[in-house]
Amino acid sequence: MNSIRNFCIIAHIDHGKSTLADRMLVHTKTVGEREMRDQVLDSMDLEQERGITIKSHAIQMDYELNGQAYKLNLIDTPGHVDFSYEVSRSIAACEGALLIIDATQGIQAQTISNLYLALEHDLEIIPVLNKMDLPNAIPEVVEDQIIDLIGCDREDIIHASGKTGMGVETILERIVEKVPSPLGDPEAPLQALIFDSVFNSFRGVIAYFKIVNGQIRKKDLVKFVATRKQYDADEIGVLKLGMVPRDVLSAGDVGYIISGIKTAKEVKVGDTITHVDRPCDKAISGFEEVKPMVFAGIYPVDADDYEDLRNAMDKLQLNDASLTFEPESSAALGFGFRCGFLGLLHMEIIQERLEREYDMNVITTVPNVSYLAHLTDGSTQRVYNPSGMPNSTLVNEIEEPYIRASIITAAEFIGPVMNLCLEKRGALVNQSYLTAERAELVFNLPLGEIVFDFYDKLKSISRGYASFDYHVSGYKPAKLVRLDILLNGEMVDALSTLTHFDNAYPFGRRMCEKLKELIPRQQFDIAIQAAIGSKIIARETVKAVRKDVTAKCYGGDITRKRKLLEKQKKGKKRMKQVGNVEVPQKAFLAVLKLD
Ligand code: GTP
């Protein structure tokens, strides 16, 4: 066990994590130069994920220092806030972390949030200043930031470049010297932490784990503590460029298990694997069931595609246990699904995969968060869909989820960033300067306010010089009301939103104005109304067309006429009939683009 080092890399997006990891793989001959180039070529393909390190989740390198052989396990951490629970489990499987910081950019929000996670787990931190080959690197300034942040000595900071290979040898040496070898008792009952899993269409679900105590052998009968399911360990092994089967793995080792698991749902990140015969006393702490935070309806554009959509969703869920969905029907959109996602990025990924991999043509409704409705009869109801919010006369209080957000920005943008957060009902918790020019602002914000256009606004007001990270902190009561939209007196359930009472009137007005722009004129007047309960708070009218649209058809050119008809048919497909009104798809997302 003294020869094992388990470490991860924490970095802000684009600071060079993958490039540096690839360099280490080549340096330790885990991957040949040729294979690496092939990988890079593969990555040109949109369907391929980028880089070996991303695909492999964990990879073992053999490394020799002063005549002694070491096994270095690099455990990958997902890069985005939506997956922060997974990040925390990957970190929990390590004893050390490389903290990579772009020497031209300095510390960013994600650097800090992941660093805090690593410190919580007592990881040894090895600071690395990357991209030192770039002429605009400002090493002294960034070193000052790092020293301030983690209290290391200037000499501890390794200068590196994923591009030239500078510093790679020093990083590997430092990992051996500084990162503690894993503790743990190989004789104790088995306790292994699941930190990730993948779905393989030939082999089923492959779970990745780190053994905290005990040993696991091929063919052992094991159980997963949280799911209480039992499996035979058909194959266990370590991860190099591919999977390398082994007969036994021991405390400190990082490996994989294949045991006939069919769906991703059966493997929960953070769960503990133990033996059926000689189980451990208690599971490894920190297990949490990940819960979706953002919800949206997904509907087929063509009602006939409903079954295909269900199949596609089923397949996606095999891979991705954090995706939830259940059938839902909407008076406006017909039959579809209410889906739960970890966050907005996750939602975008799913939407894109449905379209790209499954060739589905879908309408996604405006995303919302989940609310707790405390009812007058004393019960509490979780609400995933604004149109499902019980009538206000039945509701005592509504609670909504809050996040703690960290924003790092240049001093000149502090004012605008503050204004944006306050406009989004945020409360400033802390403000501190990292250097004279850069500050970190910490806000408590309602999650529901950032699911719309927060990222985009933040980027534009700071001209790209602001980074943002968050975690969910809990539920708080809020004065929310359900705002409904009516077309010619008929409520369109897919357009209902929950909004703060203070914003409801201007919001309702802007919704009506926007819908007036988006709904084409038809043979009759269309009244667009916004309502809270039975009270109408805004109204617009789309005037009827007077001219006959077919007047444009001229002459007897039959092919031209047919083309025109085809075109109209296609146009029709992107419309939904609501009562007697035809509503274009983009109107269902109108609320996202109100400004
Ligand atoms: P994500 O996986 O998206 O979080 O990014 P990452 O942190 O893994 O960064 P990645 O390795 O993909 O590098 C981001 C960009 O920086 C790429 O265009 C790299 O080519 C470039 N890059 C990485 N390291 C260096 C370096 O040391 N020097 C220079 N000049 N460019 C680098």
Side-chain angles (χ1 to χ4, degrees), residues 137-374:
I138 38 168
E140 291 80 19
V141 176
V142 181
E143 275 172 10
D144 286 343
Q145 295 174 4
I146 298 174
I147 293 166
D148 252 18
L149 188 66
I150 61 172
C152 62
D153 291 328
R154 199 170 291 271
E155 301 74 64
D156 294 338
I157 303 170
I158 302 171
H159 286 199
S161 161
K163 187 152 199 177
T164 65
M166 166 189 184
V168 172
E169 177 69 30
T170 317
I171 292 173
L172 292 164
E173 282 171 22
R174 200 68 64 83
I175 290 169
V176 170
E177 289 162 7
K178 284 281 165 73
V179 176
S181 51
L183 299 169
D185 178 2
E187 307 303 327
L190 175 66
Q191 252 186 333
L193 169 70
I194 299 177
F195 62 84
D196 209 344
S197 71
V198 289
F199 174 80
N200 177 303
S201 44
F202 299 107
R203 317 222 43 191
V205 177
I206 304 168
Y208 299 134
F209 59 80
K210 183 234 182 143
I211 304 184
V212 177
N213 285 304
Q215 287 193 330
I216 183 169
R217 287 169 195 280
K218 191 178 163 175
K219 301 274 187 248
D220 278 354
L221 182 61
V222 295
K223 86 173 167 202
F224 290 10
V225 177
T227 60
R228 296 205 189 93
K229 293 219 165 151
Q230 298 189 1
Y231 306 97
D232 287 314
D234 297 333
E235 181 180 319
I236 56 166
V238 297
L239 300 144
K240 298 222 171 169
L241 191 49
M243 293 184 283
V244 184
R246 289 280 149 85
D247 289 331
V248 55
L249 293 172
S250 214
D253 280 332
V254 172
Y256 71 90
I257 175 169
I258 298 176
S259 50
I261 304 169
K262 294 282 185 300
T263 73
K265 266 198 243 170
E266 291 174 61
V267 182
K268 304 221 182 268
V269 168
D271 199 357
T272 302
I273 306 176
T274 192
H275 280 126
V276 171
D277 289 348
R278 194 183 160 223
C280 53
D281 289 346
K282 57 180 190 346
I284 297 159
S285 64
F287 174 74
E288 266 174 48
E289 191 94 39
V290 280
K291 289 196 194 74
M293 292 310 301
V294 173
F295 301 83
I298 294 188
Y299 291 84
V301 169
D302 190 336
D304 294 344
D305 292 339
Y306 178 75
E307 279 308 318
D308 290 344
L309 180 60
R310 180 200 294 279
N311 287 334
M313 298 278 235
D314 276 334
K315 287 209 182 103
L316 281 176
Q317 205 179 40
L318 281 179
N319 284 281
D320 181 352
S322 49
L323 166 70
T324 62
F325 65 93
E326 54 185 51
E328 169 183 86
S329 66
S330 149
L333 299 174
F335 291 99
F337 299 95
R338 174 103 325 217
C339 305
F341 312 94
L342 296 174
L344 276 189
L345 177 83
H346 188 211
M347 178 174 106
E348 274 169 34
I349 292 173
I350 297 292
Q351 220 177 314
E352 196 171 315
R353 291 186 65 184
L354 280 174
E355 282 172 9
R356 238 171 42 183
E357 292 170 33
Y358 297 95
D359 206 16
M360 298 300 310
N361 200 358
V362 294
I363 291 182
T364 309
T365 64
V366 172
N368 59 272
V369 298
S370 71
Y371 301 92
L372 293 176
H374 301 290

Side-chain angles (χ1 to χ4, degrees), residues 12-19 50 130-131 133-134 161-163:
H12 192 73
I13 192 156
D14 277 347
H15 281 199
K17 182 171 94 167
S18 310
T19 313
R50 200 172 43 111
N130 192 34
K131 305 202 187 178
D133 60 290
L134 290 174
S161 161
K163 187 152 199 177

Side-chain angles (χ1 to χ4, degrees), residues 492-505:
V492 187
D493 53 2
L495 285 173
S496 293
T497 46
L498 282 171
T499 178
H500 197 263
F501 180 77
D502 296 343
N503 302 333
Y505 278 75

